[in-house]
Amino acid sequence: MTDTPTTLVTATGEGAGKTAITVALARLAADRDRSVGYMKPKGTRLQSNVGKTLDQDPMLAREVLGLDAEMHQMEPIVYSPTFVEGAIRGTEDADALRDRIREEFDELAADRDQMFVEGGGRWTTGGVVDLTDVDVAELLDARVVLVAGYDSPNDLDEVLAAADAFGDRLAGVVFNKVSDDAFESLDQDGIPFLESKGITVFGAIPSEKELAGVTVGELADELGAELLTDAPTDGFVERFLVGAMGGDEALRYFRRARDAAVITGGDRADVQTAALEASGVACLVLTGGHRPSGAVLGKAADAGKPVLAVNTDTVTAIDRAEGVVRGGRTRDARTVERMAELLAAHVDVDALV
């Protein structure tokens, strides 16, 4: 068993920004001339439910941190729906899983100054095999950083529950994606309240549009959309515009956009054409199951813009799309770079790394 100092980054809920913070902290530690390692014991951000699928987060960490570890070491358990079903039927041995995590961790940590471990989903994930993040912190003798959101004082219930569960292992809390509206309440009341309970707050990171978007490909997957063009799908979507107005007005509206997806009926050729002419529009999402005209598809191909088609109505498509973007994704080195800047500006990084 190694005694490499280990930090486990966990969260009160899904989509809290755990990956960006974990990898950015590792990057900041590496900038201080430390050799760092990364592990995500439970792979939860999977690309399919069946078979040996891989979590995208360790792949990103390996790329950003320049690690040469194998994926099966960085992610010993693929925590898929199939795995969970097997676990509740008794086909998974909790002790064997713990041994596997411990073994891979020891190998990853052997020549490192510091290890950064990312929790899975939320801190309670893994309970069916006795491997919540509380259990993992115990297993790997890790200090714990809790990432939490804050919209209102009600959100402190989750923080207190997690703090109670982690006990002395909890180093402190980082609030992430805090909106301007909620910031004053957190600063004036929330943080002093937690500190009065003996809970350290390392800082609060403001909500940042750049970290809330998804790629067109991710959007298509999440919406179950059909791609009608073969344009690249790595463009970035941060916001949605609804094309419900006439063509000329739509063009003026779309020209002010940046990194936007336009959602409109599949039969609105005037709006579709206007969207394809605006440089800030990343893709079209067409609703109602209508296929656009050949002319529109030809224009999209010329502009190199993906066209997605969904069978739902516009209101349903907007609701689902906004949920996807609000969840956010840590997609690339740019996201980690930006998070490192935000941590340096708003959080006590020295205390964290």
Side-chain angles (χ1 to χ4, degrees):
M1 179 167 163
T2 67
D3 54 0
T4 307
T6 300
T7 300
L8 169 71
V9 180
T10 185
T12 53
E14 305 269 354
K18 199 168 61 280
T19 303
I21 288 174
T22 309
V23 182
L25 284 174
R27 241 281 326 280
L28 290 165
D31 289 350
R32 288 160 161 76
D33 291 331
R34 287 183 213 159
S35 70
V36 299
Y38 166 97
M39 184 188 216
K40 185 174 183 181
K42 296 164 294 191
T44 47
R45 196 150 80 77
L46 307 171
Q47 287 149 317
S48 83
N49 292 350
V50 188
K52 180 61 182 167
T53 51
L54 290 175
D55 187 300
Q56 297 157 40
D57 299 333
M59 291 191 255
L60 176 72
R62 190 165 67 172
E63 175 200 333
V64 172
L65 302 171
L67 303 172
D68 55 5
E70 297 292 330
M71 286 301 296
H72 69 82
Q73 292 179 293
M74 296 170 81
E75 179 206 292
I77 297 172
V78 178
Y79 202 77
S80 65
T82 311
F83 172 89
V84 174
E85 283 164 20
I88 62 176
R89 291 193 193 115
T91 60
E92 296 293 342
D93 178 344
D95 288 336
L97 294 171
R98 295 169 76 83
D99 290 346
R100 190 193 313 166
I101 290 173
R102 183 75 245 183
E103 231 166 83
E104 302 293 10
F105 176 83
D106 285 347
E107 201 163 316
L108 291 173
D111 55 350
R112 299 290 167 182
D113 298 327
Q114 197 164 359
M115 282 294 293
F116 289 87
V117 176
E118 181 179 347
R122 54 182 64 223
W123 67 271
T124 53
T125 300
V128 296
V129 284
D130 296 327
L131 277 171
T132 66
D133 284 349
V134 176
D135 300 315
V136 172
E138 196 66 37
L139 179 67
L140 304 181
D141 191 23
R143 69 199 278 270
V144 176
V145 173
L146 178 69
V147 180
Y150 185 89
D151 290 316
S152 75
N154 290 3
D155 294 324
L156 297 181
D157 286 344
E158 280 284 353
V159 176
L160 291 170
D164 193 42
F166 285 104
D168 292 343
R169 290 199 174 277
L170 182 69
V173 183
V174 172
F175 286 98
N176 190 27
K177 305 183 186 180
V178 182
S179 69
D180 292 346
D181 296 343
F183 210 93
E184 191 177 344
S185 159
L186 175 62
D187 190 47
Q188 302 292 310
D189 301 318
I191 292 174
F193 170 77
L194 290 176
E195 288 175 340
S196 77
K197 299 273 185 192
I199 298 169
T200 301
V201 178
F202 291 121
I205 300 167
S207 181
E208 172 97 350
K209 276 288 184 211
E210 192 181 331
L211 299 183
V214 291
T215 65
V216 174
E218 286 167 342
L219 179 63
D221 288 346
E222 298 275 354
L223 295 179
E226 183 189 353
L227 275 164
L228 304 182
T229 56
D230 60 1
T233 57
D234 54 356
F236 195 51
V237 175
E238 285 180 18
R239 57 187 61 76
F240 295 94
L241 305 174
V242 182
M245 65 293 282
D248 291 345
E249 189 188 345
L251 184 55
R252 284 197 299 278
Y253 175 52
F254 298 150
R255 276 185 175 150
R256 294 196 296 270
R258 186 172 59 84
D259 296 331
V262 170
I263 301 181
T264 191
D267 52 353
R268 293 294 307 271
D270 56 339
V271 174
Q272 294 158 20
T273 303
L276 292 170
E277 285 174 11
S279 62
V281 171
C283 71
L284 275 176
V285 180
L286 307 183
T287 61
H290 301 285
R291 284 188 79 84
S293 67
V296 166
L297 287 175
K299 196 173 181 67
D302 291 346
K305 291 188 178 179
V307 178
L308 284 53
V310 294
N311 288 322
T312 55
D313 60 78
T314 302
V315 174
T316 307
I318 293 163
D319 282 350
R320 285 176 61 194
E322 286 190 329
V324 174
V325 163
R326 208 176 305 118
R329 289 283 188 271
T330 302
R331 300 150 306 275
D332 53 25
R334 181 182 81 156
T335 316
V336 175
E337 190 60 47
R338 183 66 189 123
M339 179 53 81
E341 290 168 5
L342 289 167
L343 283 165
H346 299 282
V347 172
D348 184 354
V349 171
D350 290 335
L352 277 170
V353 304

